Amino acid sequence: MHFLNRWKLRNRVLAGFALVMALLIGGSVVGVLRVGQLNSRIHRLVEVDMHALDLSRQWAGLTEVSIQRRLVSMAVNDPVFVTAFTRKSKETSARIDAVQKELNGIEQAPKPCIWSRSSTKSARSTKTCERG
């Protein structure tokens, strides 16, 4: 660091200013890159995951209706009522199958990695990731 003592005050101030500017630019570049990554994650959450959630809710509702129809058909002895109540069972089953196929076709997001630390002093932190 003795070579800095040989510099004029003006050069030292300019070098310090240049160093601060370089750090500021580097931090800004990292920030912009992180915002871009965050934007892509938000896009996936809104577009893909919300669609999958909507399909899951449709599947659950249709499955519940199908189960109720089957329970009624087993509990009631009146064939006219059972026929009228369950006349759309095949249509509902077809819709359930279509929703299930679409759900299976959606690419699942990778599972998050979990950092864990062992209780022993010699053990290091380990990272475990579940794959889809």
mmCIF file of all heavy atoms in Angstrom, residues 52-75:
data_model
loop_
_atom_site.group_PDB
_atom_site.id
_atom_site.type_symbol
_atom_site.label_atom_id
_atom_site.label_comp_id
_atom_site.label_asym_id
_atom_site.label_seq_id
_atom_site.Cartn_x
_atom_site.Cartn_y
_atom_site.Cartn_z
ATOM 1 N N ALA A 52 -52.758 -24.410 -13.159
ATOM 2 C CA ALA A 52 -52.781 -25.747 -12.545
ATOM 3 C C ALA A 52 -53.689 -25.751 -11.312
ATOM 4 O O ALA A 52 -54.420 -26.719 -11.072
ATOM 5 C CB ALA A 52 -51.368 -26.180 -12.173
ATOM 6 N N LEU A 53 -53.659 -24.669 -10.533
ATOM 7 C CA LEU A 53 -54.528 -24.583 -9.360
ATOM 8 C C LEU A 53 -55.997 -24.559 -9.782
ATOM 9 O O LEU A 53 -56.830 -25.230 -9.177
ATOM 10 C CB LEU A 53 -54.181 -23.331 -8.547
ATOM 11 C CG LEU A 53 -55.004 -23.088 -7.296
ATOM 12 C CD1 LEU A 53 -54.804 -24.221 -6.296
ATOM 13 C CD2 LEU A 53 -54.632 -21.759 -6.679
ATOM 14 N N ASP A 54 -56.296 -23.814 -10.821
ATOM 15 C CA ASP A 54 -57.665 -23.755 -11.328
ATOM 16 C C ASP A 54 -58.125 -25.133 -11.810
ATOM 17 O O ASP A 54 -59.244 -25.567 -11.503
ATOM 18 C CB ASP A 54 -57.760 -22.738 -12.463
ATOM 19 C CG ASP A 54 -59.187 -22.559 -12.955
ATOM 20 O OD1 ASP A 54 -60.095 -22.441 -12.118
ATOM 21 O OD2 ASP A 54 -59.369 -22.542 -14.193
ATOM 22 N N LEU A 55 -57.263 -25.825 -12.533
ATOM 23 C CA LEU A 55 -57.609 -27.175 -12.996
ATOM 24 C C LEU A 55 -57.793 -28.132 -11.816
ATOM 25 O O LEU A 55 -58.692 -28.986 -11.830
ATOM 26 C CB LEU A 55 -56.530 -27.705 -13.938
ATOM 27 C CG LEU A 55 -56.488 -27.082 -15.325
ATOM 28 C CD1 LEU A 55 -55.282 -27.606 -16.094
ATOM 29 C CD2 LEU A 55 -57.763 -27.365 -16.085
ATOM 30 N N SER A 56 -56.960 -27.992 -10.801
ATOM 31 C CA SER A 56 -57.081 -28.854 -9.616
ATOM 32 C C SER A 56 -58.407 -28.627 -8.914
ATOM 33 O O SER A 56 -59.046 -29.581 -8.453
ATOM 34 C CB SER A 56 -55.935 -28.575 -8.641
ATOM 35 O OG SER A 56 -54.709 -28.866 -9.223
ATOM 36 N N ARG A 57 -58.809 -27.381 -8.825
ATOM 37 C CA ARG A 57 -60.104 -27.085 -8.197
ATOM 38 C C ARG A 57 -61.256 -27.648 -9.031
ATOM 39 O O ARG A 57 -62.227 -28.180 -8.470
ATOM 40 C CB ARG A 57 -60.263 -25.582 -8.011
ATOM 41 C CG ARG A 57 -59.395 -25.041 -6.910
ATOM 42 C CD ARG A 57 -59.567 -23.561 -6.735
ATOM 43 N NE ARG A 57 -58.739 -23.097 -5.631
ATOM 44 C CZ ARG A 57 -58.425 -21.835 -5.451
ATOM 45 N NH1 ARG A 57 -58.848 -20.905 -6.287
ATOM 46 N NH2 ARG A 57 -57.677 -21.486 -4.424
ATOM 47 N N GLN A 58 -61.170 -27.526 -10.348
ATOM 48 C CA GLN A 58 -62.197 -28.110 -11.213
ATOM 49 C C GLN A 58 -62.261 -29.619 -11.022
ATOM 50 O O GLN A 58 -63.351 -30.194 -10.893
ATOM 51 C CB GLN A 58 -61.889 -27.817 -12.682
ATOM 52 C CG GLN A 58 -62.177 -26.423 -13.129
ATOM 53 C CD GLN A 58 -61.845 -26.248 -14.601
ATOM 54 O OE1 GLN A 58 -61.774 -27.221 -15.358
ATOM 55 N NE2 GLN A 58 -61.624 -25.013 -15.012
ATOM 56 N N TRP A 59 -61.090 -30.257 -10.998
ATOM 57 C CA TRP A 59 -61.021 -31.707 -10.838
ATOM 58 C C TRP A 59 -61.641 -32.120 -9.507
ATOM 59 O O TRP A 59 -62.420 -33.079 -9.453
ATOM 60 C CB TRP A 59 -59.576 -32.171 -10.928
ATOM 61 C CG TRP A 59 -59.408 -33.644 -10.804
ATOM 62 C CD1 TRP A 59 -59.499 -34.571 -11.782
ATOM 63 C CD2 TRP A 59 -59.127 -34.367 -9.592
ATOM 64 N NE1 TRP A 59 -59.298 -35.826 -11.272
ATOM 65 C CE2 TRP A 59 -59.068 -35.735 -9.929
ATOM 66 C CE3 TRP A 59 -58.927 -33.990 -8.268
ATOM 67 C CZ2 TRP A 59 -58.825 -36.709 -8.983
ATOM 68 C CZ3 TRP A 59 -58.681 -34.971 -7.333
ATOM 69 C CH2 TRP A 59 -58.628 -36.314 -7.695
ATOM 70 N N ALA A 60 -61.314 -31.386 -8.435
ATOM 71 C CA ALA A 60 -61.851 -31.726 -7.114
ATOM 72 C C ALA A 60 -63.368 -31.572 -7.087
ATOM 73 O O ALA A 60 -64.084 -32.435 -6.544
ATOM 74 C CB ALA A 60 -61.208 -30.850 -6.045
ATOM 75 N N GLY A 61 -63.881 -30.497 -7.676
ATOM 76 C CA GLY A 61 -65.333 -30.296 -7.701
ATOM 77 C C GLY A 61 -66.053 -31.355 -8.501
ATOM 78 O O GLY A 61 -67.086 -31.890 -8.073
ATOM 79 N N LEU A 62 -65.519 -31.659 -9.671
ATOM 80 C CA LEU A 62 -66.153 -32.686 -10.508
ATOM 81 C C LEU A 62 -66.085 -34.060 -9.852
ATOM 82 O O LEU A 62 -67.038 -34.846 -9.943
ATOM 83 C CB LEU A 62 -65.483 -32.724 -11.882
ATOM 84 C CG LEU A 62 -65.733 -31.516 -12.782
ATOM 85 C CD1 LEU A 62 -64.829 -31.570 -14.010
ATOM 86 C CD2 LEU A 62 -67.194 -31.441 -13.183
ATOM 87 N N THR A 63 -64.980 -34.353 -9.208
ATOM 88 C CA THR A 63 -64.843 -35.640 -8.528
ATOM 89 C C THR A 63 -65.829 -35.742 -7.367
ATOM 90 O O THR A 63 -66.435 -36.796 -7.148
ATOM 91 C CB THR A 63 -63.404 -35.827 -8.023
ATOM 92 O OG1 THR A 63 -62.516 -35.715 -9.134
ATOM 93 C CG2 THR A 63 -63.203 -37.165 -7.363
ATOM 94 N N GLU A 64 -66.009 -34.641 -6.650
ATOM 95 C CA GLU A 64 -66.967 -34.640 -5.544
ATOM 96 C C GLU A 64 -68.386 -34.879 -6.055
ATOM 97 O O GLU A 64 -69.144 -35.659 -5.472
ATOM 98 C CB GLU A 64 -66.899 -33.306 -4.799
ATOM 99 C CG GLU A 64 -67.773 -33.254 -3.571
ATOM 100 C CD GLU A 64 -67.604 -31.955 -2.811
ATOM 101 O OE1 GLU A 64 -66.578 -31.282 -2.974
ATOM 102 O OE2 GLU A 64 -68.531 -31.632 -2.038
ATOM 103 N N VAL A 65 -68.731 -34.236 -7.162
ATOM 104 C CA VAL A 65 -70.058 -34.450 -7.758
ATOM 105 C C VAL A 65 -70.220 -35.905 -8.179
ATOM 106 O O VAL A 65 -71.265 -36.521 -7.942
ATOM 107 C CB VAL A 65 -70.254 -33.499 -8.964
ATOM 108 C CG1 VAL A 65 -71.468 -33.913 -9.785
ATOM 109 C CG2 VAL A 65 -70.385 -32.072 -8.493
ATOM 110 N N SER A 66 -69.199 -36.469 -8.777
ATOM 111 C CA SER A 66 -69.268 -37.859 -9.213
ATOM 112 C C SER A 66 -69.449 -38.809 -8.028
ATOM 113 O O SER A 66 -70.241 -39.754 -8.096
ATOM 114 C CB SER A 66 -68.004 -38.211 -9.999
ATOM 115 O OG SER A 66 -68.037 -39.539 -10.431
ATOM 116 N N ILE A 67 -68.728 -38.549 -6.959
ATOM 117 C CA ILE A 67 -68.853 -39.393 -5.761
ATOM 118 C C ILE A 67 -70.255 -39.283 -5.181
ATOM 119 O O ILE A 67 -70.864 -40.298 -4.790
ATOM 120 C CB ILE A 67 -67.779 -39.010 -4.726
ATOM 121 C CG1 ILE A 67 -66.400 -39.426 -5.228
ATOM 122 C CG2 ILE A 67 -68.076 -39.633 -3.371
ATOM 123 C CD1 ILE A 67 -65.257 -38.904 -4.390
ATOM 124 N N GLN A 68 -70.792 -38.067 -5.120
ATOM 125 C CA GLN A 68 -72.146 -37.891 -4.590
ATOM 126 C C GLN A 68 -73.171 -38.635 -5.431
ATOM 127 O O GLN A 68 -74.096 -39.257 -4.896
ATOM 128 C CB GLN A 68 -72.489 -36.404 -4.512
ATOM 129 C CG GLN A 68 -71.747 -35.666 -3.432
ATOM 130 C CD GLN A 68 -71.992 -34.169 -3.483
ATOM 131 O OE1 GLN A 68 -72.635 -33.666 -4.396
ATOM 132 N NE2 GLN A 68 -71.468 -33.453 -2.498
ATOM 133 N N ARG A 69 -73.011 -38.573 -6.739
ATOM 134 C CA ARG A 69 -73.952 -39.301 -7.610
ATOM 135 C C ARG A 69 -73.885 -40.800 -7.378
ATOM 136 O O ARG A 69 -74.895 -41.504 -7.362
ATOM 137 C CB ARG A 69 -73.662 -38.981 -9.071
ATOM 138 C CG ARG A 69 -74.131 -37.615 -9.460
ATOM 139 C CD ARG A 69 -73.856 -37.324 -10.907
ATOM 140 N NE ARG A 69 -74.342 -35.998 -11.247
ATOM 141 C CZ ARG A 69 -73.871 -35.276 -12.233
ATOM 142 N NH1 ARG A 69 -72.933 -35.760 -13.024
ATOM 143 N NH2 ARG A 69 -74.356 -34.076 -12.482
ATOM 144 N N ARG A 70 -72.685 -41.305 -7.197
ATOM 145 C CA ARG A 70 -72.549 -42.753 -6.959
ATOM 146 C C ARG A 70 -73.135 -43.146 -5.603
ATOM 147 O O ARG A 70 -73.757 -44.211 -5.466
ATOM 148 C CB ARG A 70 -71.099 -43.168 -7.068
ATOM 149 C CG ARG A 70 -70.571 -42.982 -8.482
ATOM 150 C CD ARG A 70 -69.269 -43.684 -8.704
ATOM 151 N NE ARG A 70 -68.607 -43.195 -9.902
ATOM 152 C CZ ARG A 70 -68.842 -43.625 -11.125
ATOM 153 N NH1 ARG A 70 -69.751 -44.562 -11.317
ATOM 154 N NH2 ARG A 70 -68.189 -43.140 -12.154
ATOM 155 N N LEU A 71 -72.932 -42.287 -4.596
ATOM 156 C CA LEU A 71 -73.506 -42.582 -3.282
ATOM 157 C C LEU A 71 -75.033 -42.577 -3.335
ATOM 158 O O LEU A 71 -75.687 -43.432 -2.735
ATOM 159 C CB LEU A 71 -73.009 -41.575 -2.245
ATOM 160 C CG LEU A 71 -71.546 -41.696 -1.838
ATOM 161 C CD1 LEU A 71 -71.147 -40.566 -0.905
ATOM 162 C CD2 LEU A 71 -71.283 -43.039 -1.170
ATOM 163 N N VAL A 72 -75.595 -41.620 -4.054
ATOM 164 C CA VAL A 72 -77.054 -41.569 -4.179
ATOM 165 C C VAL A 72 -77.561 -42.798 -4.920
ATOM 166 O O VAL A 72 -78.579 -43.395 -4.539
ATOM 167 C CB VAL A 72 -77.480 -40.258 -4.899
ATOM 168 C CG1 VAL A 72 -78.926 -40.328 -5.357
ATOM 169 C CG2 VAL A 72 -77.282 -39.072 -3.974
ATOM 170 N N SER A 73 -76.857 -43.192 -5.950
ATOM 171 C CA SER A 73 -77.323 -44.365 -6.713
ATOM 172 C C SER A 73 -77.266 -45.640 -5.868
ATOM 173 O O SER A 73 -78.049 -46.562 -6.094
ATOM 174 C CB SER A 73 -76.506 -44.543 -7.984
ATOM 175 O OG SER A 73 -75.180 -44.890 -7.686
ATOM 176 N N MET A 74 -76.361 -45.682 -4.891
ATOM 177 C CA MET A 74 -76.297 -46.862 -4.023
ATOM 178 C C MET A 74 -77.300 -46.784 -2.892
ATOM 179 O O MET A 74 -77.781 -47.808 -2.411
ATOM 180 C CB MET A 74 -74.890 -47.006 -3.429
ATOM 181 C CG MET A 74 -73.846 -47.415 -4.445
ATOM 182 S SD MET A 74 -72.236 -47.807 -3.730
ATOM 183 C CE MET A 74 -71.827 -46.366 -2.809
ATOM 184 N N ALA A 75 -77.659 -45.591 -2.430
ATOM 185 C CA ALA A 75 -78.509 -45.456 -1.251
ATOM 186 C C ALA A 75 -79.995 -45.421 -1.576
ATOM 187 O O ALA A 75 -80.821 -45.827 -0.760
ATOM 188 C CB ALA A 75 -78.134 -44.189 -0.487
#
